[in-house]
Amino acid sequence: MKRHARGFGAVCAIVLVTLAGLLPLPALAKEIVDLRGRTVEVPGQVDSLTIDDGRFLIALSLIDSAPVDLLAAWPRDIKRLGQASYARYRKAFPALETLPTVASSAENFDMESVLAVAPDVALMSLGRGPSDAQLAQLEAAGIPVVFIDFFNDPFAHQAPSLRILGQLTGHEARAEAYLDFRDRHLRRISQRVADIPAAKRPSVFVEAHAGITNDCCFSPGKGGMGDYIDFVGGHNIGADVLEKAAGKLNLEYIIASDPHVYIATGGPDLRKTGGLVLGGGVDARRARSSLASIAQRPGIAQLTAVKQGNVHGLAHQLLNSPLDTVAIEAFAKWVHPEMFEDVAPSRTLEMINRRFLAVPYEGVGWVDLK
């Protein structure tokens, strides 16, 4: 009898060991160093995120084929994506329409909405989001907060931010593959402009959200989008007078600076203000027509850049995300056309659409007046 009991016990032990090998063990917690330099402990397997900027969805879609499945809530800031882009994401992932809503980084932080959905991790924009007291409350509730950034310092922060998304979602290899792609494209540009002295860098006026109001003119200053102009071998006139990443230039200053190149940014939502219209859901003819219109405003029309046809438009949707690879190539061609004749932003975007994006970017991303 004892022999039978011992035999039965041995069989049970074998079954238990076998089952233990088949059943997945809980993933161990891991540490993430975020863009505030904080070491944050997060679950080993992250199944749900909240984001405070809809453009984070674009970054996620570069590394995950079903990015909406990761979201517990999002800010529903459709303007940042563009209505046409939002419609494509909604068609691909219908659950986007019914997701709970949290506050956008452009609004006051709403802690209750994050607590209500209890994500595994709350992703926040660097420089925005919860106060230190609110941050402590979220962490006390078991919700780790991780800060990332695709805006304030695009060259220093794009790569670590995408790597953080890769670590959180288990797609580190996909993140590294895209960053390698981006680095190869950017290195081609940086190597060619490295020896251009400051005195020979063309002056560039970038008007952000061109035509959004009747008065002139929002522009990048030091950091942010202005860094792109420096990177491609130009001189951003906004950086000479604006201490922050963005601000307002008066028309008299722009006329006195008389830049060599004029670049405007815009999007589909500027239809209602008569501004620069391009991006998702916009055709080339409409984009060029709106660019011609804003270039003929009083003062702007008198700039040498406009008279010589050095006028260009960029969809703002291509900024503030890792898609800026395409925007940088467009900037390079506009600032140094002879040097970058072989660079083709359209080919780069086609490769990103085919190889990486879960929802391909469509629409006119950039346009020239000529």
Side-chain angles (χ1 to χ4, degrees), residues 70-131:
L70 296 165
L71 298 184
W74 75 303
R76 203 171 292 280
D77 46 357
I78 294 169
K79 284 185 179 179
R80 283 177 165 176
L81 287 176
Q83 187 65 48
S85 295
Y86 169 69
R88 288 196 299 277
Y89 273 91
R90 186 181 57 191
K91 181 178 180 180
F93 306 106
L96 189 62
E97 183 70 19
T98 56
L99 278 177
T101 302
V102 291
S104 165
S105 60
E107 304 166 352
N108 293 326
F109 180 69
D110 175 22
M111 188 170 61
E112 286 71 22
S113 63
V114 178
L115 290 171
V117 295
D120 291 338
V121 175
L123 279 170
M124 303 287 179
S125 300
L126 184 67
R128 306 292 181 95
S131 65

Side-chain angles (χ1 to χ4, degrees), residues 22-292:
L22 293 175
L23 294 174
L25 295 173
L28 297 175
K30 55 190 175 186
E31 291 185 338
I32 300 278
V33 179
D34 74 2
L35 268 290
R36 280 179 56 173
R38 301 161 55 251
T39 299
V40 184
E41 186 175 281
V42 302
Q45 180 174 323
V46 175
D47 295 316
S48 65
L49 299 166
T50 57
I51 58 176
D52 70 348
D53 189 325
R55 292 167 297 195
F56 289 176
L57 181 57
I58 297 173
L60 284 168
S61 75
L62 284 166
I63 62 174
D64 193 301
S65 59
V68 174
D69 290 352
L70 296 165
L71 298 184
W74 75 303
R76 203 171 292 280
D77 46 357
I78 294 169
K79 284 185 179 179
R80 283 177 165 176
L81 287 176
Q83 187 65 48
S85 295
Y86 169 69
R88 288 196 299 277
Y89 273 91
R90 186 181 57 191
K91 181 178 180 180
F93 306 106
L96 189 62
E97 183 70 19
T98 56
L99 278 177
T101 302
V102 291
S104 165
S105 60
E107 304 166 352
N108 293 326
F109 180 69
D110 175 22
M111 188 170 61
E112 286 71 22
S113 63
V114 178
L115 290 171
V117 295
D120 291 338
V121 175
L123 279 170
M124 303 287 179
S125 300
L126 184 67
R128 306 292 181 95
S131 65
D132 289 343
Q134 291 171 323
L135 187 57
Q137 286 180 276
L138 288 170
E139 291 175 337
I143 301 174
V145 177
V146 174
F147 290 90
I148 61 176
D149 174 47
F150 294 110
F151 172 72
N152 293 298
D153 193 340
F155 289 100
H157 293 169
Q158 290 272 16
S161 294
L162 196 65
R163 286 193 175 102
I164 285 171
L165 294 182
Q167 289 175 285
L168 290 174
T169 62
H171 294 304
E172 293 96 333
R174 289 275 297 172
E176 289 303 325
Y178 184 78
L179 290 173
D180 179 66
F181 173 89
R182 181 176 188 268
D183 184 63
R184 282 186 282 109
H185 283 255
L186 268 57
R187 193 165 55 243
R188 175 174 57 173
I189 293 170
S190 62
Q191 289 173 346
R192 295 185 192 181
V193 303
D195 296 328
I196 301 176
K200 293 192 175 181
R201 292 183 167 228
S203 58
V204 182
F205 166 45
V206 179
E207 183 179 5
H209 308 291
I212 193 170
T213 63
N214 291 328
D215 56 341
C216 185
C217 287
F218 293 107
S219 178
K222 291 182 173 65
M225 187 167 55
D227 286 348
Y228 294 128
I229 302 305
D230 296 336
F231 182 82
V232 302
H235 173 72
N236 169 33
I237 66 169
D240 294 336
V241 293
L242 298 173
E243 291 298 323
K244 295 183 178 181
K248 207 165 188 179
L249 300 179
N250 64 57
L251 187 57
E252 290 74 18
Y253 170 74
I254 298 166
I255 293 171
S257 300
D258 200 20
H260 297 100
V261 184
Y262 169 46
I263 299 173
T265 76
D269 56 307
L270 293 189
R271 282 188 181 95
K272 58 179 177 276
T273 65
L276 177 60
V277 179
L278 73 174
V282 180
D283 62 36
R285 183 175 180 180
R286 178 71 177 90
R288 189 169 291 108
S289 172
S290 68
L291 180 62

Side-chain angles (χ1 to χ4, degrees), residues 258-264 288 291-292 295-296 300-313 333-335 337 367-370:
D258 200 20
H260 297 100
V261 184
Y262 169 46
I263 299 173
R288 189 169 291 108
L291 180 62
Q296 290 306 310
I300 301 297
Q302 280 68 57
L303 298 177
T304 299
V306 176
K307 292 178 180 178
Q308 294 181 348
N310 293 326
V311 177
H312 314 278
K333 288 184 74 70
W334 295 334
V335 176
V367 66
D368 304 312
L369 191 56
K370 284 185 176 179

Side-chain angles (χ1 to χ4, degrees), residues 327-345:
I328 292 167
E329 290 191 341
F331 285 146
K333 288 184 74 70
W334 295 334
V335 176
H336 292 287
E338 301 85 3
M339 187 179 293
F340 293 107
E341 280 186 311
D342 61 326
V343 170

